[in-house]
Amino acid sequence: MELRGKVALVTGGNGGLGQRICHALAREGVHIAVMYAQSKDQAEAVARELASTYQINVAAFGCDITDGAAVEALVASVTARFGRLDILINDAAFNKSVPFQDLDGLTVELWEKIMAVNLTGPMRLIKAAAPALKASGAGRIVNISSVAGLGPTGSSIAYAVSKAGLIHLTRCMAVALAPETLVNCVAPGLLEGTRATANLRPEQIERSAASSLLQRAADKDDCADMVVTMCRTDTMTGQTIVIDAGRIFH
């Protein structure tokens, strides 16, 4: 699919990986809606940088993706601002480090918040965006999961389960939205310089990098480039690609 002139909504677009995804899409001539949860100033700064660097249309939008009405309003605002919506990138996520053995530390409240942001949030966004994506004639959805969704690892049991659910949501939505909209998923390993990594314990970060075949963290630009590939493809859907410097094989 030719990406120039398309419109992408990137949730968590002001985050460490989200910014790289925005830049990678903008280089292809995609107009960008940068969605943020709280950091309005940062998101607007990202929007200005994208607009000046790539001469595309960009705007920042605030949204609490755990609020169904807010998600509906977000999609309506984006389509009103840009006139269309072709691409949805579900990158927004929340985590908090709780060792797997610490079941008391994994409270129901924390479980519900992680699920609300990492799994129910993307489901809300996909449902809300589905009509606009179908109307575009070539809709694309890319979910950002994690290797924690492919094995019992990650910052907490809740985080791992939420990311496993997102991988299967990708498959199910690929079935539900075919053939007009393609749905795929990127599962990064440890990424340096992101909010998710900042919430990990130091020993967890060290162990993750050391246990990879390449002995280093995954690369954010590799992940962003894969997102672009998934937006460009015409024949891949329901798939999850791991980028983790060689830790998980599936």
Side-chain angles (χ1 to χ4, degrees), residues 97-109:
S97 185
V98 179
F100 277 38
Q101 295 80 8
D102 184 10
L103 294 182
D104 289 337
L106 182 62
T107 64
V108 172
E109 291 76 18

Side-chain angles (χ1 to χ4, degrees), residues 126-168:
I126 291 170
K127 287 186 64 177
L133 295 173
K134 182 177 181 178
S136 81
R140 300 291 186 270
I141 298 170
V142 182
N143 297 319
I144 306 300
S145 181
S146 166
V147 293
L150 293 164
T153 183
S155 57
S156 73
I157 291 174
Y159 182 79
V161 173
S162 73
K163 291 301 187 177
L166 186 57
I167 288 171
H168 201 57

Side-chain angles (χ1 to χ4, degrees), residues 3-169:
L3 295 181
R4 185 166 298 278
K6 298 296 192 292
V7 174
L9 167 58
V10 183
T11 75
N14 58 316
L17 177 57
Q19 289 189 41
R20 300 295 180 93
I21 292 171
C22 287
H23 278 272
L25 288 170
R27 277 192 293 271
E28 301 296 322
V30 177
H31 306 301
I32 308 291
V34 181
M35 195 221 84
Y36 65 92
Q38 296 177 326
S39 305
K40 179 179 179 180
D41 291 346
Q42 184 185 37
E44 290 181 343
V46 171
R48 288 193 297 271
E49 180 183 9
L50 292 168
S52 63
T53 302
Y54 305 103
Q55 288 74 57
I56 58 169
N57 294 324
V58 191
F61 297 83
C63 182
D64 174 3
I65 65 172
T66 69
D67 182 332
V71 169
E72 294 282 351
L74 167 69
V75 173
S77 296
V78 171
T79 53
R81 168 67 171 76
F82 293 95
R84 61 188 296 160
L85 179 61
D86 307 279
I87 297 166
L88 169 63
I89 311 298
N90 280 311
D91 179 55
F94 172 78
N95 77 338
K96 182 178 180 181
S97 185
V98 179
F100 277 38
Q101 295 80 8
D102 184 10
L103 294 182
D104 289 337
L106 182 62
T107 64
V108 172
E109 291 76 18
L110 178 59
W111 172 279
E112 290 177 343
K113 180 174 182 178
I114 289 174
M115 292 296 169
V117 176
N118 296 2
L119 185 53
T120 307
M123 183 275 293
R124 291 183 188 276
L125 283 152
I126 291 170
K127 287 186 64 177
L133 295 173
K134 182 177 181 178
S136 81
R140 300 291 186 270
I141 298 170
V142 182
N143 297 319
I144 306 300
S145 181
S146 166
V147 293
L150 293 164
T153 183
S155 57
S156 73
I157 291 174
Y159 182 79
V161 173
S162 73
K163 291 301 187 177
L166 186 57
I167 288 171
H168 201 57
L169 181 67

Side-chain angles (χ1 to χ4, degrees), residues 95 97 100 146-148 151-156 159 188-192 196-197 199-218 243-248:
N95 77 338
S97 185
F100 277 38
S146 166
V147 293
T153 183
S155 57
S156 73
Y159 182 79
L190 175 70
L191 293 172
E192 295 177 334
T197 303
N199 287 332
L200 297 178
R201 301 181 305 279
E203 65 272 17
Q204 195 172 5
I205 296 173
E206 183 178 350
R207 183 173 63 251
S208 296
S211 64
S212 70
L213 292 179
L214 303 184
Q215 298 287 292
R216 60 176 182 262
I243 300 177
D244 69 346
R247 289 181 57 212
I248 299 290

Side-chain angles (χ1 to χ4, degrees), residues 195-235:
R195 293 189 182 118
T197 303
N199 287 332
L200 297 178
R201 301 181 305 279
E203 65 272 17
Q204 195 172 5
I205 296 173
E206 183 178 350
R207 183 173 63 251
S208 296
S211 64
S212 70
L213 292 179
L214 303 184
Q215 298 287 292
R216 60 176 182 262
D219 186 80
K220 292 194 288 290
D221 288 324
D222 281 354
C223 295
D225 289 344
M226 180 53 63
V227 170
V228 172
T229 296
M230 288 176 168
C231 292
R232 187 182 286 121
T233 184
D234 289 321
T235 56

